[in-house]
Amino acid sequence: MLPAMKTIGGLDRFQGTLIRPDDDGYDAARGLWNAAIDRRPALIARCKDADDAATALAYARENRLPIAVRGGGHNVSGSALVDDGVVIDFSPMNRVEVDPVRRLARVQPGTRWGEVDAATQVHGLATPAGIVSDTGVAGLTVGGGFGWLSRRWGLTSDNLASAELLLADGSRVTASDDENPDLFWAIQGGGGNFGIVTEFEFRLHDLGTQVLAGPLLYRADQAREVFDAYREFVASAPDEASVYAQMRIAPTFDWVPPELRETKVLVLIASYSGDLDEGERVLEPLRRAIAPAADLVMRKPYVAHQSMFDPGVPPGWGYYWKSHYLPPLTDAAIDVLVRFGWEMTSPTAFSLAFHLGGAIAERPADSSAASGRDAAHALNINASWTDGGREHRDIGWCREYAAAMQPHATGGVYMNFMHNDEGEARVRAAYGPNYDRLAEIKARYDPDNVFHSNQNIKPALGPPDRS
Ligand SMILES: Cc1cc2nc3c(=O)[nH]c(=O)nc-3n(C[C@H](O)[C@H](O)[C@H](O)COP(=O)(O)OP(=O)(O)OC[C@H]3O[C@@H](n4cnc5c(N)ncnc54)[C@H](O)[C@@H]3O)c2cc1C
């Protein structure tokens, strides 16, 4: 039973910082990771605690203002901001409390993954996270979430033990397998459609602090034979191993050998999270299959591996993404990768095939709202440009590349990799067979679609069942 609407007067109870268009710092406060997004909220409510979030929510509802919720502000679509509305901004709330005995971490909703990794790795523990340290915990988790450890321990949302939520009617609930299990099922992949998470509790695993990881660099003209070796490797790789494939112009980073810098490269980025000697044996066939132009796979701290991609996707550039889930790579899919992978004009653009399967695939598709359990890869096509503009010709490259890959994809897409122009059919495809159940749960918890700045699930038609 959902409690009745709780009314809170104006914003006088708000303890955090309220930022309006005329205030100093407004432009910085509405800045997102994706600088191509330009939205002007009426109020940015930087919350000190969950009570502040409740106050801001009540204020927005009473004044019939649209609402957006901001975790790390990293979603490419810009859904963390809303024009002329209220942004419930958690950026000041980034506390992480680790209980090493119970192997649990309580995490506030403005936290970034680098902060979680730093706190858990003190104890040699970790939970599957994204692969860029600056990405927000909140949006990634409610969207599903995958990274280097997911083939071993599942999606990020599979490792959610419980969550504290503020619902559209102002009530507060706990969601877990035992409390409000339907809501818990929905927030593990259904995005921010159902409520505002004010605290996450994650299960942690014994990782240790070292992984065997790093890039293998190949020249683009080696791509076909490398992709052949790659698909053979991933077809039987153990769950401790994840190898991603990236097509890009080699950056001028320290770790890139000088002769490869600014050339077209295929990079296989390997990660082995189990016993490191065993990892050397597991990765050896891949490292030997085709001689790489550089082999930088080595034993290193997990936190170092977790920030390896950071310099290539900084906040403040313009970005545009398209994405597909892919089955095991076919010859036709490899043709598309080779044809489009280096056709961008910006040296910062790239495409990246994440390696899924393993523990992600072990759970049934309806075990949570998260998608992608049937996929071998998630392909992220990342157009990016550094001049801060909103348009770039590589947006066309990104769209053409995605359209060419469509016939070779599963038909599904990871909702956290979608932009804001995908259309309703594609949003439905993102939630796949779970869409109808999600729409029913949405009708119960948010019948007025208060939380619509997201890849939106429309409440199912019919009177809301409030039992
Ligand atoms: C550089 C980069 C690397 C990435 N790498 C990965 C990766 O390795 N793996 C992966 O799975 N994804 C990855 N992503 C995608 C990432 O999961 C999404 O961008 C995600 O939305 C980021 O979360 P955030 O809190 O920063 O998002 P925000 O932009 O702050 O929020 C996005 C949406 O999440 C919802 N939301 C935010 N906070 C809350 C809350 N407290 N309660 C309920 N809903 C909320 C809202 O609907 C909001 O509109 C990456 C993104 C970027 C930009």
Side-chain angles (χ1 to χ4, degrees):
M1 173 79 97
L2 301 177
M5 171 83 182
K6 192 170 65 173
T7 342
I8 301 176
L11 289 168
D12 47 312
R13 297 173 184 218
F14 196 84
Q15 299 287 310
T17 311
L18 297 170
I19 305 169
R20 296 186 174 84
D22 290 338
D23 291 336
D24 287 346
Y26 175 75
D27 281 331
R30 71 187 182 93
L32 293 177
W33 172 79
N34 183 0
I37 303 286
D38 181 24
R39 291 187 179 160
R40 301 186 66 82
L43 178 70
I44 298 171
R46 287 210 159 145
C47 301
K48 194 165 154 276
D49 54 26
D51 289 344
D52 273 356
T55 303
L57 173 65
Y59 170 80
R61 291 214 64 181
E62 285 169 12
N63 290 283
R64 298 181 182 281
L65 293 170
I67 291 164
V69 181
R70 178 181 181 131
H74 262 55
N75 200 282
V76 69
S77 72
S79 60
L81 295 184
V82 66
D83 275 326
D84 305 319
V86 175
V87 177
I88 298 176
D89 181 342
F90 286 112
S91 38
M93 290 175 62
N94 60 352
R95 196 175 58 238
V96 181
E97 287 174 4
V98 178
D99 180 339
V101 177
R102 294 172 64 222
R103 292 198 172 88
L104 291 170
R106 296 192 76 83
V107 178
Q108 289 192 314
T111 309
R112 316 295 176 117
W113 279 111
E115 295 164 326
V116 176
D117 288 338
T120 56
Q121 279 287 280
V122 169
H123 308 281
L125 299 170
T127 202
I131 62 169
V132 170
S133 69
D134 203 29
T135 311
V137 168
L140 184 140
T141 303
V142 297
F146 45 74
W148 298 116
L149 304 180
S150 293
R151 287 175 38 76
R152 187 166 178 199
W153 288 310
L155 298 172
T156 304
S157 55
D158 294 340
N159 289 278
L160 191 60
S162 69
E164 302 299 322
L165 281 116
L166 171 64
L167 300 181
D169 66 0
S171 58
R172 313 264 189 98
V173 295
T174 302
S176 69
D177 281 335
D178 303 318
E179 284 180 81
N180 300 297
D182 56 347
L183 178 63
F184 191 54
W185 180 90
I187 63 164
Q188 293 173 281
N193 276 285
F194 306 93
I196 301 173
V197 179
T198 55
E199 189 166 84
F200 295 89
E201 185 185 42
F202 290 102
R203 279 187 284 274
L204 305 175
H205 304 272
D206 277 312
L207 173 70
T209 57
Q210 298 279 308
V211 290
L212 176 67
L216 298 163
L217 280 94
Y218 304 88
R219 298 183 317 274
D221 62 23
Q222 296 174 287
R224 277 182 197 281
E225 50 180 353
V226 175
F227 273 124
D228 272 344
Y230 174 64
R231 68 177 159 184
E232 193 180 323
F233 177 82
V234 299
S236 59
D239 293 354
E240 290 85 352
S242 284
V243 183
Y244 296 3
Q246 187 183 36
M247 286 131 284
R248 66 172 306 154
I249 308 301
T252 52
F253 298 156
D254 290 348
W255 54 265
V256 179
E259 67 277 14
L260 291 177
R261 291 180 189 167
E262 297 177 334
T263 67
K264 295 176 179 178
V265 286
L266 170 58
V267 193
L268 297 185
I269 307 110
S271 170
Y272 191 87
S273 65
D275 174 81
L276 299 186
D277 291 335
E278 177 62 12
E280 301 276 4
R281 280 189 289 278
V282 167
L283 295 180
E284 203 214 346
L286 181 68
R287 295 168 84 177
R288 273 199 335 187
I290 313 292
D295 180 339
L296 302 163
V297 176
M298 62 185 81
R299 296 174 189 218
K300 60 167 76 164
Y302 172 66
V303 290
H305 189 47
Q306 279 289 84
S307 54
M308 177 197 151
F309 278 105
D310 290 10
V313 279
W317 291 357
Y319 293 92
Y320 183 87
W321 286 3
K322 286 276 186 191
S323 183
H324 289 293
Y325 283 127
L326 302 180
L329 293 178
T330 59
D331 289 345
I334 292 173
D335 284 347
V336 175
L337 296 173
V338 173
R339 181 169 156 225
F340 286 93
W342 293 278
E343 285 296 297
M344 63 286 213
T345 62
S346 164
T348 59
F350 62 81
S351 51
L352 176 66
F354 288 70
H355 181 191
L356 306 180
I360 301 169
E362 276 160 25
R363 294 187 181 211
D366 63 356
S367 62
S368 78
S371 62
R373 297 196 192 276
D374 58 341
H377 302 280
L379 177 67
N380 178 301
I381 307 169
N382 171 96
S384 64
W385 52 96
T386 58
D387 63 7
R390 283 204 245 159
E391 293 294 328
H392 192 277
R393 58 180 179 271
D394 281 349
I395 293 174
W397 161 75
C398 189
R399 289 182 175 143
E400 281 171 34
Y401 188 166
M405 189 57 87
Q406 175 82 51
H408 316 296
T410 65
V413 56
Y414 177 36
M415 60 88 91
N416 266 338
F417 286 171
M418 291 169 72
H419 214 289
N420 54 27
D421 59 353
E422 299 267 5
E424 201 168 330
R426 191 69 172 152
V427 173
R428 274 183 171 263
Y431 299 109
N434 290 325
Y435 188 91
D436 289 344
R437 182 171 169 195
L438 285 167
E440 282 166 25
I441 297 172
K442 174 83 172 173
R444 256 185 294 145
Y445 286 93
D446 184 17
D448 301 325
N449 205 3
V450 169
F451 304 120
H452 60 265
S453 186
N454 45 42
Q455 300 299 344
N456 195 232
I457 296 164
K458 305 279 181 298
L461 294 175
D465 173 8
R466 291 194 155 262
S467 61

